Amino acid sequence: MKIRLPVMIQDQTVAEGKGTELAEMVTVEESFFLDGPVSERVAVLDFDESGRLAPLLRFKPASSATKMGFYVGAGNRSVDIHSSAFIQASVMGSVLRTMQMFEEKDTLGRKVKWAFDGPQLLIVPRAGEWENAFYERDSHSLQLFSFKSQRKEYEHLGADRPVIHTCLSHDVISHETAHAILDGIAPDLYHALLPQSLALHEAIADLTALIMAFRSKDLRKTVLDQTDGLIDESTAFSSIAEEFGVGRQRLGPLRPLRSLLNDRKMKNRTKRRISPHELSEVLSGALYTVMVRMHESRKRRYGKGSKSLFSVSGKALWDAAQHFKRMILRALDYLPPGEVSFADYGRAILAADAASHPNSGVERDWIAEEFVRREIVDDVRHLQLDPTLESAVAGLNDALKEIDLSTLVSSDWAAYDFANKNRDLLQIPAGRPFEVRPRLEVTKTSWYGKKDERPHSECLFKVSWEIDEDNPALRGLPSKRLITVGTTLVIDRATGAVRALLTSDANPELEKERNAMITHLAEEGRLAIGSAAIGPDGNPLRSVVQAEQSGDLLRIQNSARMLHIEGLDLEEEANHA
């Protein structure tokens, strides 16, 4: 069932300052819609200023096959954006639109699934007063808060200072929806100790907001008109959550929450390398730089013979953005299970793009170059298939000839038997217990030429195991910790051959980064073991990272909750419980 909903294009003050419309109408699709608004996979729970549940939006089904159903009172792009009806419809539209982008045939090629046990992601658009917005697995929800601007120029207004509503920021909603989607694709990241794993969550969320901004026709036209067809300077594209970022700053220049237009590198991060938010800018900045090169390259290609390159800038931007989307999001399927590094993600990008664009490798070269320049890897060879794995690929190709792929996908016993017989080829350590993850068969579109698009099916086979590492010598901390790692085997469904083999990064520097993170958490009082992580109400505390202890082994839990509540203390937690 398809319906039309209004959604915000950009933050209100940003849109007004840059001359764009506040909202636009989008078409979204689910198997059903109900009063609420509620759909098969999304439900909005809107509370008014008094804390009571706001009136439900009534859904009116389509009256004929040629019309779409709609929510009564939701309005259109010119409606009052502060009305309860608009807020409810807009947040649902923004979430569903982001989900649909991931689900397109040239991206994941399937419906997204949540990491929690439940059918619907709950959206709370007016969750309270707080400088925050976050996805939380435990509550199955996106929590979107409001706060009064901290800018000094509004100080004299006191209680009448302007209010920043995160539910009216398309960037924020797309960002938080991406966290929920990524949690369903790679759920181990939610428990990761490695700062790079948590930073990957942030980078993907920011890049999702970027892609969704590219998909707004009004915003594309406005930005390109104002920049003479360029995206290599600070714009509504490269700035993430501008209104949110500005509202949090009391003094200084007007800065967004984060900027994709940066030159940040890994090795000069020192202590800040344990901050996932700051670390994410290294990765997102690297990929935005590649996006700029993709746009410029297509402008030159489409502009041959034209007096004005600007006349083709819009076409070039759409085409580059579509390839960019496929490149960075299809890679998520190729990630090995467990903790992953930026280098792991880089290898996944190159492998996934080689499958989706086998005859076009220049963009992959640019990514490899940028990863080296940003000091993510020392050499482009570190993003390529390890020569020692070439024999493993050959061995797995031989092993796959002896098994029916449909049986491998459907039978847990067959999958475990295959992994056990080929544990050396899959890099599973001798004598180590392992887990075979649910197999996935998916069909995605691949490009072999300008007008040569073909559906291509692949099987994703993932196996994980745990390794133990020494913890730093800190009071109350067990001597060792368990870390999940693994291998992803991608099999071409048509040929039965290995398309990609990716095993967790074994760089010893990553252990040092985990040591730095766990030391930081322990010293800041942010690490709680066992019952110490449970509040008086019986629910897990948001202000700490949970950990489980068995003997002298520690296992981290729910660390990704800290992405948006790093500064929360116990008193604040009580206020927002």
Side-chain angles (χ1 to χ4, degrees), residues 68-79:
M68 295 184 188
F70 63 94
Y71 280 98
V72 178
N76 53 38
R77 61 191 292 167
S78 60
V79 76

Side-chain angles (χ1 to χ4, degrees), residues 13-148:
T13 56
V14 175
E16 291 171 346
K18 296 186 177 180
T20 66
E21 295 283 349
L22 289 177
E24 61 186 349
M25 298 300 295
V26 299
T27 300
V28 294
E29 183 174 7
E30 282 274 70
S31 61
F32 64 81
F33 290 92
L34 303 172
D35 293 354
V38 170
S39 72
E40 176 189 6
R41 294 176 294 166
V42 173
V44 179
L45 296 175
D46 186 27
F47 299 93
D48 62 22
E49 290 78 4
S50 67
R52 293 190 296 265
L53 192 65
L56 300 182
L57 275 188
R58 185 167 64 87
F59 181 68
K60 186 173 180 59
S63 58
S64 70
T66 59
K67 294 183 179 180
M68 295 184 188
F70 63 94
Y71 280 98
V72 178
N76 53 38
R77 61 191 292 167
S78 60
V79 76
D80 175 13
I81 64 171
H82 293 96
S83 68
S84 176
F86 176 85
I87 288 172
Q88 293 177 37
S90 178
V91 294
M92 169 172 265
S94 297
V95 169
L96 288 175
R97 187 168 174 247
T98 305
M99 291 166 57
Q100 288 177 181
M101 183 272 291
F102 273 85
E103 294 171 343
E104 290 171 348
K105 291 181 180 180
D106 65 338
T107 314
L108 295 184
R110 65 182 185 279
K111 281 192 171 184
V112 300
K113 293 185 177 180
W114 310 125
F116 48 78
D117 184 17
Q120 291 162 322
L121 177 68
L122 308 179
I123 314 168
V124 186
R126 293 185 286 184
E129 187 173 348
W130 195 6
E131 294 178 16
N132 220 330
F134 55 84
Y135 158 71
E136 187 175 57
R137 185 195 286 182
D138 288 345
S139 61
H140 306 183
S141 68
L142 305 187
Q143 303 277 336
L144 306 170
F145 294 85
S146 303
F147 64 96
K148 292 179 179 179

